[in-house]
Amino acid sequence: MMYRLIADAAMVVHFAFLVYMAVGGFVAWRWRRTLWAHLLVVAWGVLSIVTGVECPLTLAEDWARRHAGQAGLPASGFIDHYIEGVIYPEEYTNLARLGVAVLVLFSYVGYVLRRQ
């Protein structure tokens, strides 16, 4: 039971992380100090896409699911399992990534304009 809770918590935190990566720049419009945290989150997202490094949240969820007697995440990882093919078709992955990048850039431009 505890392993399942850990796995579910890791999944929820992972979704929250991805949402924050997409819209955290807008949060910084109100709370400026959060910009640094958002920059780190975006850097991690870019690093994981470019290098393919596996997210610790994915590893934690997979580990907990296996210890709970469930099937772990597929080798393709969290996004391929929960998002691609579920929220948007797999062939639109690059378009979805571009959309998030544009959203982040727009939030940063807005941040700079609001500071002036």
Side-chain angles (χ1 to χ4, degrees):
M1 175 76 168
M2 183 57 86
Y3 289 116
R4 171 118 191 240
L5 290 173
I6 292 169
D8 290 345
M11 177 187 60
V12 168
V13 169
H14 214 155
F15 273 114
F17 185 89
L18 292 174
V19 168
Y20 184 69
M21 181 170 41
V23 299
F26 296 105
V27 173
W29 288 14
R30 174 70 174 95
W31 295 287
R32 291 182 179 173
R33 290 183 182 179
T34 64
L35 182 65
W36 296 108
H38 189 253
L39 286 168
L40 290 173
V41 167
V42 169
W44 176 261
V46 170
L47 178 72
S48 68
I49 290 170
V50 171
T51 66
V53 65
E54 202 159 359
C55 179
L57 290 168
T58 301
L59 296 174
E61 181 186 353
D62 184 59
W63 172 85
R65 292 220 182 275
R66 291 182 191 281
H67 278 79
Q70 299 176 330
L73 290 175
S76 55
F78 178 89
I79 291 180
D80 289 344
H81 182 69
Y82 289 111
I83 297 177
E84 286 181 354
V86 177
I87 295 176
Y88 58 84
E90 191 174 335
E91 59 267 15
Y92 293 118
T93 297
N94 288 332
L95 185 60
R97 288 177 178 169
L98 178 63
V100 170
V102 166
L103 198 59
V104 169
L105 289 173
F106 179 76
S107 72
Y108 287 169
V109 168
Y111 176 84
V112 169
L113 292 175
R114 287 177 58 94
R115 285 196 44 130
Q116 291 178 351

